[in-house]
Structure formats: C-alpha cells, structure tokens
C-alpha cells in the first residue's frame, strides 16, 4: 500500500509535480510503452478506456481500463530498475469519472470528490474488502522517479487478497525484476505488460462494483538495440491466498486471455520472436512454478533431457 509522505514533502510535490493521466482515443499516443509500438491485439473492447499515464510532460506507461468493472485490464511499460522508498498518496482520474472533463491531472482522492467509474478509498475500506488490498498492476518497484510516482493511481490497481499481494505476486515482481536486471540491460530494452483477468462474480466496494480478478498475468519482451526480440517470458497465477505463479509459454498465455476463438489474443503484436526465459519444455507441458519448486522441476527436467539424449540420440 502507498504510505503517506511527510506533510512538507507532500506540499512541495503537489506544487512541483504535475501528475497527468491522459485519456486518449488510442494507446498509440504512448506507443513507446509497447514493443515496436504495437498494441496487444484483441484484448481491448469499445467499453475500455485508453489511458496514457503522464507525469511532468512525459508518458511513463499505458493502461487499458475497464470503467464497468472499475479496474485496469493491463498496464504496459518499459522496466526501469529503481531504488524507491517513499510512496505518494493514491489518486484518481477525473477524465474516467467524467469524459467531458478538461482536467488531465490525477487528483488526490478525498471523500465527496464525486468519483465515478473507478475505485475509491471507501471501496477498499468497505466490509466487503476486509481481506483485500490495493494491488499494483504496473509495479511501483519496476519504475523509478516520476515513473514510480505515476503508478499510485486507482486506474493502475486491482483488489488483491492480502497474502497474494504482499507475498505471492510481490515475489514474482521481484523475480521478474531480477531476470530483467540480469538479462536485459542497456542497450537492450525490457518491455513488460501486466494484466488482471476479471472474475465473473466477485466484486468488492460500497456498491460491490469493483471487480476482483480471477487471475493475474504478466509477459515481457527484451529487445536488442536493433529492436529484435532476444528474450521473452510469460507468467500467470490464479488469484488465491496460497496460489503459485507459473511460467508458461507465450502462446499458452495468449490462449488463456482469448475469449473469442475467432479473435485470438496476441500480446506482442510486433512479434517478439525470442528465446523463452527459463526451461520450458514439452516434458513439463510448458508450466513451471517459480521459486524452490520451480528450481526442483528445472533440475529434474534437465536430467530427463540428458537421459533422453543419451538413450535415443
């Protein structure tokens, strides 16, 4: 959860930082957040709002937002390793509340602000949300400076079970950061998309209109200086208190996100033809758990591959 800044620092930040979140007709306005500037295919619908998260006249990431479910569908960003400690207050987006609003700046939420189409503090304080916390989609820790500040907005948060948010998904965010820090450094560029797949019948909030995700997912594409994909990875985890984060193939993740077989989802529309991170194989059916269990599976899989090669090659 985002903690309060000391009051002096807060007052200075409100004057010095103009935190904008521009609602746009197309996410191509902030296409630098996507590999080759290409938006994921067949995820967005006409009911979704496209948001370019802007701070100090710079776009930091892109968000596809569902006004009906009051949660983001996904946020896309370029990973930047940061050392952030203090976090700003949570904000809401005026243009999501009122499409005719000329106010682009994220505003600090206060009771009686008349916020619509997105979550509020009251929703997370409601008795229906006792076991839930605000879970970042684009992680605060995957950004630095103004980019990290811009992640603390309700248009970038979904209700997550406390243990899932603070332990399971947090560990995945750390693991992914380690992978990108170790394998996708400058001059390479790490493109990441993190999303929340909505449930059909779980809602929290004052009016029970804030959707609780069925599962969380993430995918990355590391591009070299020539914009060629050299490494990629895909993950998903069922949204449960004792869940496991699985590494799966990109095509398996796209199949999980596809709702209409006639319109299959493509996450990296630019075609990230890259080596998959880790040790995916037909032997594990492409499903590998992160952490110690995943390491054990990796060792066993490697051994089986070696035996197979010795016996049959």
């Amino acid at each position: 959860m985002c903690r309060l800044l000391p009051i002096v620092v807060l007052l200075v930040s409100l004057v010095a930082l103009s935190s904008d979140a521009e609602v746009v007709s197309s996410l191509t306005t902030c296409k630098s957040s996507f590999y080759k500037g290409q938006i994921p295919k067949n995820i967005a619908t006409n009911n979704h709002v496209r948001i370019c998260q802007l701070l100090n006249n710079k776009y930091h990431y892109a968000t596809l937002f569902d006004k009906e479910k009051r949660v983001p569908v996904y946020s896309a960003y370029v990973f930047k390793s940061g050392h952030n400690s203090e976090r700003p207050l949570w904000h809401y987006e005026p243009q999501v509340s009122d499409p005719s609003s000329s106010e682009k700046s994220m505003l600090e939420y206060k009771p009686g602000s008349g916020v619509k189409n997105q979550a509020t503090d009251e929703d997370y304080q409601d008795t229906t949300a006792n076991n839930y916390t605000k879970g970042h989609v684009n992680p605060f820790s995957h950004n630095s400076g103004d980019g990290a500040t811009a992640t603390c907005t309700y248009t970038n948060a979904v209700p997550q079970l406390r243990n899932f948010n603070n332990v399971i998904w947090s560990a995945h965010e750390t693991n992914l950061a380690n992978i990108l820090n170790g394998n996708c450094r400058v001059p390479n560029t790490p493109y990441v998309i993190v999303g929340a797949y909505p449930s059909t019948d779980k809602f929290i909030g004052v009016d029970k209109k804030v959707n609780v995700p069925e599962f969380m997912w993430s995918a990355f594409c590391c591009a070299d200086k020539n914009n060629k994909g050299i490494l990629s990875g895909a993950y998903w985890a069922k949204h449960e208190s004792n869940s496991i984060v699985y590494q799966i193939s990109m095509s398996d993740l796209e199949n999980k996100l596809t709702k209409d077989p006639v319109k299959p989802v493509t996450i990296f529309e630019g075609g990230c033809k890259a080596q998959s991170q880790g040790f995916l194989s037909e032997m594990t059916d492409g499903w590998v758990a992160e952490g110690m269990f995943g390491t054990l599976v990796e060792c066993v899989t490697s051994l089986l591959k070696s035996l197979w090669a010795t016996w049959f090659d």
Side-chain angles (χ1 to χ4, degrees):
M1 293 179 65
C2 290
R3 295 170 294 178
L4 295 178
L5 285 171
I7 187 65
V8 174
V9 176
L10 175 60
L11 290 173
V12 171
S13 68
L14 289 176
V15 173
L17 298 180
S18 175
S19 180
D20 297 343
E22 185 178 3
V23 173
V24 294
S25 59
S26 172
L27 288 176
T28 55
T29 302
C30 43
K31 63 182 181 180
S32 61
S33 296
F34 300 93
Y35 175 59
K36 291 188 176 180
Q38 298 295 309
I39 314 302
K41 185 178 180 180
N42 293 328
I43 294 181
T45 70
N46 292 333
N47 293 328
H48 292 156
V49 177
R50 285 81 171 160
I51 303 174
C52 288
Q53 307 285 8
L54 184 70
L55 176 61
N56 286 342
N57 297 317
K58 180 181 179 180
Y59 292 124
H60 292 281
Y61 65 100
T63 299
L64 184 67
F65 189 82
D66 190 328
K67 291 197 303 182
E68 292 184 356
K69 295 181 173 62
R70 301 188 181 185
V71 290
V73 179
Y74 67 71
S75 285
Y77 59 97
V78 175
F79 170 83
K80 295 180 178 66
S81 180
H83 301 284
N84 306 294
S85 54
E86 297 293 343
R87 303 188 183 189
L89 297 169
W90 283 89
H91 293 69
Y92 73 95
E93 170 50 54
Q95 290 186 335
V96 172
S97 287
D98 180 6
S100 64
S101 173
S102 60
E103 178 61 74
K104 294 181 180 180
S105 298
M106 295 178 188
L107 300 178
E108 177 187 337
Y109 175 75
K110 297 179 180 179
S113 298
V115 176
K116 299 178 182 178
N117 304 322
Q118 56 198 295
T120 65
D121 280 353
E122 275 91 349
D123 289 315
Y124 283 94
Q125 294 166 0
D126 190 72
T127 55
T128 60
N130 284 343
N131 296 321
Y132 295 90
T133 58
K134 295 186 286 285
H136 279 73
V137 176
N138 177 3
F140 181 85
S141 61
H142 283 199
N143 298 267
S144 61
D146 288 350
T149 300
T151 65
C152 284
T153 167
Y154 283 115
T155 55
N156 183 53
V158 294
Q160 289 182 348
L161 291 164
R162 197 173 304 279
N163 191 67
F164 182 91
N165 184 12
N166 298 336
V167 179
I168 296 168
W169 198 246
S170 176
H172 166 65
E173 292 171 347
T174 300
N175 180 63
L176 183 54
N178 291 336
I179 291 170
L180 298 177
N181 279 324
N183 300 283
C184 195
R185 298 179 180 177
V186 175
N188 302 323
T189 304
Y191 295 93
V192 186
I193 302 179
V194 182
Y197 191 89
S199 61
T200 57
D201 57 356
K202 291 184 180 179
F203 294 84
I204 67 160
V206 177
D207 299 320
K208 294 185 178 179
K209 291 185 177 180
V210 183
N211 187 261
V212 176
E214 178 182 332
F215 64 84
M216 296 294 297
W217 61 274
S218 67
F220 77 86
C221 175
C222 178
D224 65 14
K225 61 182 180 181
N226 297 315
N227 217 16
K228 178 182 178 181
I230 58 175
L231 189 68
S232 64
Y235 308 85
W236 86 284
K238 193 170 183 179
H239 183 213
E240 298 175 343
S241 291
N242 297 310
S243 186
I244 296 174
V245 179
Y246 289 97
Q247 179 196 344
I248 60 179
S249 68
M250 196 71 68
S251 59
D252 279 346
L253 178 56
E254 290 171 338
N255 288 337
K256 290 183 70 65
L257 298 177
T258 296
K259 297 179 180 180
D260 183 354
V262 179
K263 298 179 179 180
V265 166
T266 301
I267 297 174
F268 293 109
E269 178 67 1
C272 184
K273 305 298 182 183
Q275 175 185 358
S276 294
Q277 185 275 326
F279 40 89
L280 298 176
S281 71
E282 293 181 0
M283 292 183 180
T284 58
D285 195 29
W287 289 48
V288 181
E290 289 186 336
M292 294 181 64
F293 179 70
T295 302
L296 176 61
V297 174
E298 179 179 9
C299 293
V300 173
T301 302
S302 179
L303 176 61
L304 290 174
K305 284 183 175 179
S306 297
L307 292 174
W308 184 274
T310 301
W311 293 339
F312 298 102
D313 285 358

